[in-house]
Amino acid sequence: MKIVDARVIVTCPGRNFVTLKIITDEGVTGVGDATLNGRELAVESYLRDHVVPLLIGRDPARIEDTWQYLYQGAYWRRGPVTMSAIAAVDTALWDIKGKVAGLPVYDLLGGRSRTGVTVYGHANGETMDEILVEVARYLDLGYRAVRVQSGVPGIPRTYGVSADKMFYEPADAALPTETTWSTERYLAHVPSVFARVRDEFGPDVRLLHDVHHRLTPIEAARLGRSLEPYGLTWIEDPVPAELPEGFRIIRQHTTTPIATGEVFNTIWDAAQLIREQLIDYIRMTVVHSGGITHLRRVFDLAALHHVRSGSHGATDLSPVCMAAALHLDIAIPNFGLQEYMRHTPETDAVFPHEYHYEDGYLHPGDAPGLGVDIDEAAAARYPYAPAYLPVNRLTDGTLHPW
């Protein structure tokens, strides 16, 4: 069997997605997600102009060799564009291998380690009353874990709080919008939010919170300590992750668990944090981390150091990536949680898939391969539309992390 064609498909059924479809001479096809939020066309070009010509004539069964060929052969390694492109190829090749074998990909990874994948949803609101309504809604849907994000009094708009509660998409404009931030107001407000949520819903629901890289290490330590009475499953991305040593400071001051990694691209981004047990959950995801092959290596390293998975699963990852994530999630021994932001009906129609939600769990399905595809005719009805994530400034105008 040989690869005879590979198509890069950009579509925007409510938000932009980049998909690679690999075709073999025996008619077996595979799909991989290559979406990089706000930089989609950079990955499209990387695939179309630099990667696809290298795939023609290759044996699709040689997944590891192809991964090394694209990674080592590029010389200019790593980075989100390169690793998203490699991920698309790798994921599509796993899809093909599963179809040829007549097995779901998770069986090729060692089989099920659990019956379902525990997911968490996003409850957010500008006011406390809105937050309580949203938490209750997710619990009514069967979720066992809920991420809670709150507006901050005195700040007109907070990243992570949206008008559309079910299909949240933060990339909202052709050029970045600007918002204002106050760390002091945030640190003063957040503990009262979780005190109220715990009082309302009791100790059993797993609660999470995303800090969005906004704090310094000692500020994050203060937040973690103030949240200890409410037993959070994790605080996510408390500080910008470029400096692993910052997490050591947080660790010295709080027992609130820490999750990070959704902006990581390789095992080397995460290695120190994992080896020194400075985090509890690693949130890297298939599309931005070089595919199933490379992310499995990250999770295996994490398993040796008591770190569990907590993969990113926002709406900027297509159903192709979600399907791939679920096959990994259900196979690895150190699974923790899977983020699950639902896609719109238009997106689901473009990407028909076998995975399904039931009573707090996602199930990957038993179809050979990944159990997901792209309807190219439907995709063609939704052309690319420029969309950027917002940027954040302090009240004095200084640019600041989200």
Side-chain angles (χ1 to χ4, degrees):
M1 183 181 288
K2 299 293 182 184
I3 297 171
V4 294
D5 193 12
R7 295 195 288 272
V8 186
I9 305 156
V10 181
T11 184
C12 186
R15 66 108 41 240
N16 293 308
F17 298 107
V18 182
T19 307
L20 178 70
K21 187 166 191 174
I22 294 178
I23 300 99
T24 69
D25 58 354
E26 296 184 16
V28 182
T29 64
V31 290
D33 187 12
T35 306
L36 183 61
N37 200 347
R39 299 294 185 269
E40 296 90 354
L41 298 185
V43 188
E44 179 202 22
S45 173
Y46 193 101
L47 282 167
R48 185 189 63 241
D49 299 329
H50 303 291
V51 172
V52 167
L54 305 177
L55 299 177
I56 306 305
R58 293 186 65 85
D59 180 355
R62 297 180 63 177
I63 297 175
E64 180 67 37
D65 182 68
T66 298
W67 196 97
Q68 298 295 340
Y69 181 77
L70 295 176
Y71 182 82
Q72 297 193 50
Y75 187 77
W76 306 108
R77 305 177 187 178
R78 304 170 69 175
V81 174
T82 295
M83 298 307 286
S84 297
I86 293 175
V89 176
D90 183 81
T91 304
L93 295 183
W94 277 104
D95 192 21
I96 290 171
K97 186 174 283 287
K99 290 174 180 175
V100 171
L103 294 170
V105 166
Y106 66 75
D107 270 340
L108 304 179
L109 299 173
R112 291 175 179 264
S113 290
R114 55 200 48 82
T115 56
V117 173
T118 306
V119 296
Y120 69 89
H122 289 203
N124 66 85
E126 288 291 348
T127 67
M128 197 64 243
D129 287 344
E130 289 179 8
I131 292 168
L132 296 177
V133 167
E134 290 304 308
V135 173
R137 183 159 69 98
Y138 276 100
L139 296 180
D140 288 344
L141 290 170
Y143 284 75
R144 292 165 167 80
V146 181
R147 193 185 86 167
V148 178
Q149 303 299 125
S150 171
V152 178
I155 298 178
R157 181 182 176 191
T158 305
Y159 184 86
V161 178
S162 63
D164 190 332
K165 303 303 183 187
M166 188 58 72
F167 304 113
Y168 174 44
E169 174 48 61
D172 60 357
L175 291 174
T177 56
E178 295 194 4
T179 58
T180 304
W181 180 251
S182 168
T183 298
E184 295 77 15
R185 291 176 181 269
Y186 168 75
L187 289 175
H189 179 63
V190 169
S192 66
V193 171
F194 283 92
R196 181 76 184 278
V197 171
R198 273 286 179 236
D199 183 63
E200 187 80 14
F201 298 104
D204 294 334
V205 58
R206 301 173 71 177
L207 299 177
L208 307 87
H209 178 65
D210 192 348
V211 186
H212 288 118
H213 315 275
R214 291 166 173 147
L215 304 179
T216 66
I218 202 65
E219 289 168 345
R222 174 184 161 193
L223 175 67
R225 179 171 287 186
S226 70
L227 294 175
E228 284 178 10
Y230 314 114
L232 269 65
T233 296
W234 75 47
I235 54 172
E236 176 186 336
D237 291 336
V239 295
E242 289 91 342
L243 185 67
E245 291 84 353
F247 288 82
R248 190 176 299 118
I249 296 173
I250 306 172
R251 269 287 199 247
Q252 292 168 348
H253 294 280
T254 181
T255 58
T256 296
I258 301 168
T260 200
E262 71 179 63
V263 299
F264 292 173
N265 308 128
T266 71
I267 194 170
W268 297 281
D269 295 321
Q272 181 179 347
L273 292 173
I274 291 172
R275 286 196 306 263
E276 297 186 25
Q277 296 178 289
L278 299 177
I279 59 173
D280 302 279
Y281 296 87
I282 180 67
R283 285 185 34 76
M284 293 169 68
T285 193
V286 172
V287 64
H288 300 142
S289 304
I292 292 171
T293 297
H294 193 63
L295 188 55
R296 179 62 187 261
R297 289 195 173 98
V298 176
F299 289 160
D300 285 345
L301 176 67
L304 298 177
H305 295 85
H306 308 290
V307 175
R308 287 176 281 185
S309 72
S311 288
H312 183 53
T315 50
D316 59 336
L317 314 179
S318 83
V320 175
C321 183
M322 179 58 72
L326 294 175
H327 284 269
L328 259 180
D329 291 338
I330 210 159
I332 61 172
N334 57 322
F335 170 76
L337 282 174
Q338 172 65 58
E339 181 178 21
Y340 176 44
M341 293 181 72
R342 295 166 185 250
H343 291 106
T344 63
E346 293 81 5
T347 297
D348 287 338
V350 171
F351 297 97
H353 53 266
E354 294 290 323
Y355 70 78
H356 65 280
Y357 171 84
E358 184 178 353
D359 194 28
Y361 300 99
L362 277 176
H363 302 273
D366 298 319
L370 294 175
V372 64
D373 205 348
I374 182 169
D375 182 331
E376 295 187 60
R381 295 197 290 269
Y382 302 102
Y384 170 80
Y388 282 85
L389 293 168
V391 297
N392 213 18
R393 294 185 184 274
L394 300 179
T395 54
D396 69 356
T398 304
L399 200 69
H400 189 72
W402 283 340

